[in-house]
Amino acid sequence: MSDPIALSAAEAASRVHAGALDPAELFDAYQSRAAADELNAFTWVAEEPPTATAAMAEGPLGGVPLAVKDLFCTRGVPSQAGSRILQGYEPPYTATAVERLEQAGAPLLGKTNQDEFAMGSSNENSGYGPVLNPWDRGRVPGGSSGGSAAAVAAGLAPWALGTDTGGSIRQPASLCGIVGLKPTYGAVSRYGMIAFASSLDQAGPLTRNVTDAALILGQMVGPRDRCDSTSLEFPESIELPTATRLDGAAIGVPEELSGEGIEDGVLRAFEETLHIAERLGATVKRCRLPHAPHALSAYYVLAPAEASSNLARYDGVRYGLREEAETLLEMYTRTRRDGFGAEVKRRIMLGTYALSSGYYEAYYGRAQRVRTKIVEDFRAAFEDFDLVACPTSPTVAFELGARTGDPLAMYMSDVLTVPMSLAGVPALSLPNGMSDGLPTGFQLAGPPFSENRLLDVAFALEQAIDFDAVPARA
Amino acid sequence: MSDGAATSPNDGLDGFEPVIGLEIHVQLSTATKMFCSCPLSFGEPPNTYTCPVCLGLPGSLPVVNARAIHFGLMIGLALECELAPRSSFHRKNYFYPDLPKGYQISQYDEPLCRGGRLGEVRIHRAHLEEDAAKLVHVGTSGRIHGSDVSVVDFNRGGTPLVEIVTEPDLHDPVRAREWLELLRTTLRQLGVSDVNMEEGSLRCDANVSIRLGGSVALGTKTELKNMNSFRFLERGIRAELARQAELLRAGEPVVQETLHFDPQTGKLSALRSKEEAHDYRYFPEPDLVPIQIDEDMVAAARAQLPELPAARVERYESEFGLTAASARHLAFRVELGAYFEAALAELARAGDGHGGVDAAPVQIDPAVAQQLANWISGELVRRLGEEDPADSRVAPAQLARLVALISQRAITAGAGRQVLDRMVQQGGDPEGIVETEGLGAIASGDEALAGVVAAAIEAHQGAAEKIKAGNAKAMGPIIGYVMRETKGRADGAEVSRLVRAQLGLEN
Amino acid sequence: MIDREQVLHVAQLARLELSEDELERMAHELSGVLDHIERIGELDLDEVAPTSHVVEVENALREDKPRPPLPREVALAAAPLVLQDGFAVPSPQA
Ligand SMILES: [Zn+2]
């Protein structure tokens, strides 16, 4: 029989359902690949399939194993959020999103490497070493869900769970040449997701194609989770996409997110995809998101502010790393000195400063108002357009170490993804070409709960683009 | 309702006027914690009532307890507050081992309740928050080299709290204590809290300052923390007022600080602050959504409001004709009010409180009601102290009958006190005790009484002369003699009449 | 701009111990980021309401019904130091 690794997740699931593929065999095939991972994509790999594999195979996800970003709590399994301060931490409970997927038939394959507490755009901020890009091991996979993206791109996992706060699913998906979807804020429960910035964090899938993304997203959303006050009931079920034409679809291209600062190769691929969309019947027009140029500034106030508070619980008292000291104060400051990496400290400092007495209004208050304007910008754009489109990342995957010395340059990696995060709208990255031998990404965003539309349009484009490049597989 | 101390509580302040505001934390008696489904703990072994949320485990999220909102609204209504149509939670950030997340979820600029009143004190605001865990000092341990060790028990962590902040409307320590007692009674009536200061379900901090009498500007205030009984609250404030007055007299400034009152020594000491630089970095709690208070929620809270002490005072005055002081005394101690009403019901049932036996609705003679009230808040409380009379040997019906015996002059008040002594000590019916002890009042016109009076005049000739000379006060020793001889069974007025008659004076 | 003293103060609030080198570097890096961020000062936002949340839900309330708590050994399982069934720390007042 054919190599199960070559199958997409949806194909594998339907073969399992048809009795043509043994789910235990499928699990073993991926397990041995994940265990032999040379990209440092995994921080933990399951030793054997869960005993319930047979029952799982009957679920909609067909027993197709799932790689899960380290920051999702998984009971009895290390959940370290890429941080040394949580080294070896095994939570007593499992995140709602993971639990729903397990119940739908996706057994846990392993935990994937990430930037520490999801703070980063290159995966170089992991406490467990950087992840290598499977297209070029001298380059970063993007971040913060870099391990999930690299694992899926390299065929170490059929699909993976990531989280996106300012682009952490979409940007690594783009840099690794796979599909990444950040759902509407609130669509997927945050319960059990180790928090970075609560008002922005959102879980979503990283998959080889659009159909896989739809299949798995359908099992992540649904009734609201009573354990997450900000979770929302998804108003409809997620359908597998079927569109081949885009007649009647109006796509807006925000000027602010499609010109300055974007690499030529990325821009060229973007324009080509827009032509394809037009060929398929869509109307493509320029549009405005006037406040988008300020999104990055607002984001780098709001996200660190929330993070500074979310990360206060790592104090050496109840779990995680602790540096013993004679006084409580020293115990705190040394534990946090040794447990957090440089970027996490930088953001804690930035966020603490932005909330501190005398600066709150100038930074946090203003950033919240900018956020209001950005929400309004998107709302206005969606009155004229079904979707907006822009590149996902201004560049293809960059070299390891290229931006580690310059925080601001690293933050600029998020410039095209952060506006959608602030607005809480769903956005998807679709591989749409190659530039200098590295994949580029095409980003589509829609109004809240327009995931079905997003997936359909992305599916039609995917078929037409016919992106079939894959990194060399070990 | 002063405790009758001869000296004013503000003596020794040299014309400085105290200004006192209170901050009260009330643990709500919900079934579960504020933001998680753990049961509330009442002394269970440490760390047995916890979950990912109240331990602050990574990834856990808070969800607001609906009943805590409901109780908060009941409190807001009882304190005549304005209920916020929209309310929200903030994070108050600081590090402390009893605070698992590194922040407390509290309310900041959108509290549940604002601007109310209880008695003469205005309420600034009342808001919801979560309680801290318990930090117990255990001494030194070899495990942490060279340092003292404390252990954290998270059972209490996350218990729902309502923080009530008053305006600085109190001006003496006794009133502060009395007002807090009124608040406790009100909250107990509401059934929203155990309100027990010793057990910590009611905690009170006081903001204290002094200013020159008549001045409008407030002086520098200090904060007195966690005085864990009503008595300590009063004593702590008193001590702090004295300290501030002494500073000002010496020309030294009062420094804004947080103080701890040690009831053992009566001394105040500065508390080491939780964070050297107080900067709580409040910001909106992104894990929670705003609370929208709709009419149904308010109606549900209103429907569960019992009669509150303030309303009860009014009813006691209008319905039973009690004096204001008497009505307050009974209404502010719920258990006394309950006892009073049970005893009244007995009087009404027995038809002793009014003229007609079968008249309905029953009208209690205000004089009898007042007498009953006096016996409860005077004689009975004097014998029982803080004990709930419902737990005593004296049933309300029995006390009612005792008062009836007195009001019908079947026994004298003095004999009644002796009967009550027996009832409190051994229990029993008042009629039976009167019978066995022979305490029945000597009927007017009783020959024997006239004889005793004659003997009394004989024994106190001097006094008799003074009475004849017009000094009515001289009657005392003679009446005392008669009372001793009759074991208090004689009616004082009757004795007085007989004395005057035997001395040939007009009555 | 943020100077060394401010960095030190913020580090204290955040309970982070920073070495002399880190202090200097942090002051430099944060100043660069803050310079960029401060561009939002150019916008006229006086009439704009702040957004804390993009979800339009209210009253995500929970019924007051108890659920079984964690067994104590589970609650304490990850604790760095356990004494007397509690989480041990250096005493705050020491
Ligand atoms: Zn709990």
Side-chain angles (χ1 to χ4, degrees):
Chain A
M1 78 168 270
S2 64
D3 176 12
I5 303 298
L7 301 170
S8 73
E11 287 164 352
S14 55
R15 288 211 191 175
V16 170
H17 288 152
L21 179 61
D22 176 2
E25 202 178 298
L26 179 69
F27 191 96
D28 285 346
Y30 277 107
Q31 195 277 340
S32 51
R33 288 181 63 82
D37 162 33
E38 291 177 351
L39 304 171
N40 198 27
F42 285 89
T43 50
W44 177 89
V45 177
E47 284 181 9
E48 49 191 34
T51 43
T53 316
M56 279 180 164
E58 288 169 19
L61 303 183
V64 178
L66 177 71
V68 172
K69 191 176 183 179
D70 195 18
L71 61 66
F72 286 90
C73 284
T74 43
R75 194 154 73 106
V77 166
S79 305
Q80 312 163 126
S83 182
R84 287 287 169 190
I85 212 161
L86 281 176
Q87 186 159 16
Y89 173 67
E90 294 180 1
Y93 74 106
T94 297
T96 303
V98 177
E99 205 169 63
R100 283 194 185 177
L101 291 176
E102 275 179 347
Q103 275 162 13
L108 178 64
L109 171 65
K111 301 294 287 286
T112 57
N113 202 347
Q114 60 166 98
D115 282 302
E116 184 177 6
F117 289 109
M119 297 177 193
S121 311
S122 70
N123 226 300
E124 292 163 293
N125 297 333
S126 169
Y128 303 90
V131 177
L132 312 181
N133 190 316
W135 296 83
D136 176 348
R137 295 188 181 191
R139 291 176 188 264
V140 304
S144 66
S145 310
S148 287
V152 172
L156 308 180
W159 47 18
L161 212 47
T163 62
D164 190 313
T165 306
S168 280
I169 288 174
R170 291 161 286 161
Q171 186 256 15
S174 173
L175 269 49
C176 289
I178 60 169
V179 171
L181 171 62
K182 179 199 93 73
T184 305
Y185 181 85
V188 180
S189 169
R190 292 187 295 115
Y191 192 73
M193 256 167 64
I194 298 179
F196 162 16
S198 311
S199 78
L200 296 156
D201 293 346
Q202 187 56 211
L206 294 103
T207 57
R208 281 187 214 168
N209 62 37
V210 177
T211 304
D212 285 359
L215 179 61
I216 191 168
L217 181 68
Q219 302 304 319
M220 295 171 72
V221 302
R224 65 176 302 266
D225 178 13
R226 296 183 163 280
C227 292
D228 175 359
S229 308
T230 63
S231 104
L232 300 164
E233 180 175 357
F234 206 86
E236 56 192 19
S237 59
I238 300 290
E239 309 294 337
L240 294 188
T242 54
T244 51
R245 295 281 308 167
L246 295 178
D247 299 301
I251 298 175
V253 179
E255 279 173 31
E256 296 81 1
L257 302 178
S258 54
E260 216 182 319
I262 300 173
E263 275 180 6
D264 287 349
V266 172
L267 222 40
R268 212 174 309 122
F270 178 65
E271 300 292 344
E272 254 171 60
T273 305
L274 292 179
H275 288 312
I276 292 173
E278 282 177 321
R279 254 203 342 265
L280 294 177
T283 55
V284 176
K285 280 194 191 138
R286 298 259 140 197
C287 73
R288 297 288 317 272
L289 292 172
H291 295 86
H294 293 285
L296 198 70
S297 296
Y299 175 82
Y300 274 98
V301 173
L302 298 175
E306 292 183 17
S308 71
S309 175
N310 282 334
L311 269 58
R313 67 188 61 195
Y314 305 104
D315 59 4
V317 177
R318 285 145 294 124
Y319 42 78
L321 180 80
R322 151 134 146 202
E323 294 296 341
E324 291 298 351
E326 284 187 23
T327 69
L328 180 67
L329 185 65
E330 286 170 331
M331 191 274 275
Y332 282 150
T333 57
R334 289 180 193 168
T335 295
R336 292 164 65 79
R337 173 196 68 190
D338 295 350
F340 292 138
E343 180 59 27
V344 169
K345 286 181 194 168
R346 199 156 27 232
R347 298 215 195 170
I348 289 175
M349 292 289 293
L350 191 56
T352 304
Y353 178 68
L355 290 175
S356 68
S357 173
Y359 298 96
Y360 180 93
E361 200 42 52
Y363 291 107
Y364 194 79
R366 289 195 75 84
Q368 282 189 310
R369 291 169 215 278
V370 173
R371 188 171 190 184
T372 305
K373 299 306 285 182
I374 287 166
V375 170
E376 289 171 0
D377 283 357
F378 273 98
R379 205 171 283 155
F382 291 135
E383 277 172 19
D384 299 329
F385 299 95
D386 298 315
L387 304 172
V388 296
C390 63
T392 309
S393 162
T395 69
V396 293
F398 42 93
E399 285 176 3
L400 284 159
R403 298 180 190 173
T404 44
D406 184 352
L408 199 54
M410 188 69 91
Y411 297 170
M412 290 295 176
S413 314
D414 304 333
V415 72
L416 304 177
T417 47
V418 153
M420 297 76 177
S421 296
L422 289 173
V425 298
L428 176 149
S429 179
L430 178 73
N432 69 333
M434 300 289 283
S435 169
D436 296 331
L438 293 164
T440 58
F442 181 82
Q443 185 179 204
L444 279 167
F449 301 113
S450 65
E451 275 83 344
N452 273 323
R453 189 73 201 267
L454 265 185
L455 288 161
D456 235 16
V457 171
F459 179 78
L461 289 173
E462 179 183 54
Q463 307 309 306
I465 294 166
D466 196 23
F467 179 85
D468 59 357
V470 282
R473 277 186 185 154
Chain B
M1 199 181 56
S2 150
D3 61 2
T7 55
S8 149
N10 296 332
D11 280 2
L13 291 180
D14 288 348
F16 287 117
E17 184 198 21
V19 178
I20 304 159
L22 301 180
E23 277 182 35
I24 301 103
H25 286 91
V26 184
Q27 280 184 344
L28 298 182
S29 48
T30 47
T32 65
K33 294 185 180 182
M34 184 70 220
F35 297 114
C36 66
S37 299
C38 287
L40 299 195
S41 165
F42 298 93
E44 278 74 15
N47 293 303
T48 50
Y49 279 15
T50 71
C51 74
V53 178
C54 58
L55 282 174
L57 296 191
S60 65
L61 296 170
V63 185
V64 176
N65 182 340
R67 199 188 314 252
I69 301 285
H70 176 67
F71 281 178
L73 293 175
M74 285 175 69
I75 291 173
L77 288 170
L79 301 183
E80 298 171 31
C81 291
E82 187 186 318
L83 305 179
R86 185 195 132 106
S87 180
S88 64
F89 288 94
H90 268 60
R91 289 186 185 177
K92 179 182 182 179
N93 295 283
Y94 65 93
F95 286 85
Y96 211 67
D98 63 9
L99 194 66
K101 302 183 293 296
Y103 55 85
Q104 180 195 31
I105 305 178
S106 181
Q107 295 197 285
Y108 185 58
D109 56 358
E110 295 182 306
L112 195 63
C113 317
R114 252 194 253 256
R117 172 178 291 280
L118 178 66
E120 82 276 29
V121 176
R122 288 169 301 151
I123 305 294
H124 177 61
R125 59 184 273 158
H127 73 243
L128 285 161
E129 59 186 32
E130 55 179 341
D131 205 350
K134 203 166 82 185
L135 189 63
V136 185
H137 186 248
V138 297
T140 51
S141 157
R143 301 290 298 278
I144 302 179
H145 177 72
S147 74
D148 260 17
V149 178
S150 296
V151 296
V152 200
D153 168 12
F154 286 96
N155 283 355
R156 190 184 73 182
T159 299
L161 289 181
V162 165
E163 181 179 326
I164 299 166
V165 183
T166 77
E167 299 291 353
D169 287 350
L170 288 156
H171 300 287
D172 85 58
V174 173
R175 281 302 299 142
R177 171 196 174 144
E178 287 170 357
W179 185 84
L180 188 64
E181 283 168 347
L182 168 61
L183 178 68
R184 176 185 60 172
T185 305
T186 304
L187 296 169
R188 182 170 289 158
Q189 287 281 73
L190 289 175
V192 297
S193 171
D194 297 338
V195 279
N196 184 320
M197 280 195 99
E198 282 73 17
E199 288 168 13
S201 51
L202 176 68
R203 305 197 283 266
C204 185
D205 304 338
N207 290 312
V208 176
S209 65
I210 56 175
R211 64 182 172 197
L212 277 174
S215 159
V216 190
L218 293 175
T220 304
K221 68 180 180 189
T222 54
E223 190 180 7
L224 308 189
K225 277 281 179 200
N226 277 341
M227 289 153 290
N228 63 358
S229 77
F230 290 94
R231 206 154 50 88
F232 291 163
L233 172 75
E234 185 186 321
R235 284 175 53 195
I237 294 175
R238 207 187 283 274
E240 175 56 9
L241 289 171
R243 190 188 70 90
Q244 290 189 10
E246 203 173 299
L247 280 174
L248 293 191
R249 270 197 300 267
E252 287 173 41
V254 173
V255 179
Q256 185 161 357
E257 60 187 336
T258 301
L259 299 165
H260 176 257
F261 174 68
D262 183 348
Q264 308 266 279
T265 63
K267 289 232 162 60
L268 294 150
S269 54
L271 273 182
R272 181 100 72 87
S273 68
K274 283 188 175 182
E275 184 135 339
E276 320 79 72
H278 279 283
D279 187 346
Y280 293 127
R281 289 160 279 136
Y282 280 99
F283 75 103
E285 163 60 287
D287 287 333
L288 293 173
V289 295
I291 311 281
Q292 207 81 31
I293 303 298
D294 60 30
E295 280 173 24
D296 288 352
M297 292 162 87
V298 176
R302 201 184 296 280
Q304 288 194 6
L305 288 188
E307 184 187 36
L308 296 171
R312 190 172 270 198
V313 169
E314 214 164 278
R315 184 165 63 86
Y316 285 180
E317 288 181 38
S318 63
E319 201 171 310
F320 305 128
L322 297 192
T323 64
S326 201
R328 276 169 59 171
H329 195 194
L330 293 178
F332 288 6
R333 270 185 69 183
V334 191
E335 71 278 15
L336 295 188
Y339 191 89
F340 171 67
E341 296 199 36
L344 269 185
E346 169 65 14
L347 281 185
R349 193 194 61 75
D352 289 333
H354 60 103
V357 176
D358 296 311
V362 175
Q363 283 282 235
I364 306 275
D365 177 352
V368 176
Q370 184 65 57
Q371 201 170 10
L372 179 63
N374 293 348
W375 273 79
I376 292 170
S377 41
E379 299 297 337
L380 188 62
V381 166
R382 196 166 299 141
R383 284 164 177 77
L384 297 178
E386 295 285 305
E387 189 193 340
D388 180 349
D391 299 336
S392 76
R393 290 196 162 90
V394 187
Q398 291 171 330
L399 186 78
R401 293 209 301 279
L402 175 62
V403 172
L405 290 175
I406 297 162
S407 71
Q408 291 155 357
R409 296 179 182 272
I411 61 170
T412 65
R417 281 189 277 274
Q418 296 175 53
V419 174
L420 186 58
D421 283 338
R422 291 290 300 270
M423 289 165 74
V424 167
Q425 284 156 20
Q426 291 155 21
D429 280 326
E431 295 86 351
I433 296 169
V434 169
E435 182 76 33
T436 53
E437 300 284 312
L439 289 171
I442 299 168
S444 82
D446 190 315
E447 286 299 313
L449 183 58
V452 177
V453 169
I457 292 172
E458 187 65 31
H460 293 88
Q461 286 294 340
E465 289 308 317
K466 285 182 190 160
I467 294 167
K468 278 197 234 170
N471 181 357
K473 281 186 186 160
M475 191 77 82
I478 295 174
I479 293 180
Y481 180 98
V482 176
M483 290 301 171
R484 265 195 310 280
E485 289 298 305
T486 62
K487 293 198 216 155
R489 293 158 57 230
D491 180 67
E494 174 69 6
V495 173
S496 166
R497 199 186 59 77
L498 283 173
V499 172
R500 295 181 69 83
Q502 291 189 13
L503 292 176
L505 298 169
E506 295 271 321
N507 261 301
Chain C
M1 265 304 284
I2 178 168
D3 63 27
R4 197 183 159 283
E5 282 311 300
Q6 285 173 300
V7 170
L8 199 61
H9 170 70
V10 173
Q12 268 163 0
L13 283 177
R15 295 291 185 269
L16 284 171
E17 186 179 299
L18 298 178
S19 67
E20 275 304 313
D21 277 5
E22 283 174 307
L23 269 178
E24 294 300 332
R25 200 168 63 235
M26 196 67 88
H28 174 72
E29 287 169 349
L30 291 184
S31 292
V33 175
L34 288 169
D35 279 351
H36 182 85
I37 286 171
E38 277 159 14
R39 289 183 205 165
I40 58 174
E42 297 161 8
L43 296 169
D44 178 12
L45 299 167
D46 290 349
E47 303 298 310
V48 182
T51 294
S52 301
H53 244 297
V54 290
V55 289
E56 284 166 18
V57 256
E58 283 127 12
N59 296 6
L61 303 178
R62 171 179 60 80
E63 202 188 338
D64 185 29
K65 241 167 80 179
R67 298 227 313 233
L70 291 173
R72 177 161 67 202
E73 61 277 15
V74 175
L76 293 170
L81 182 57
V82 175
L83 283 175
Q84 299 179 7
D85 298 324
F87 300 84
V89 292
S91 288
Q93 307 296 338

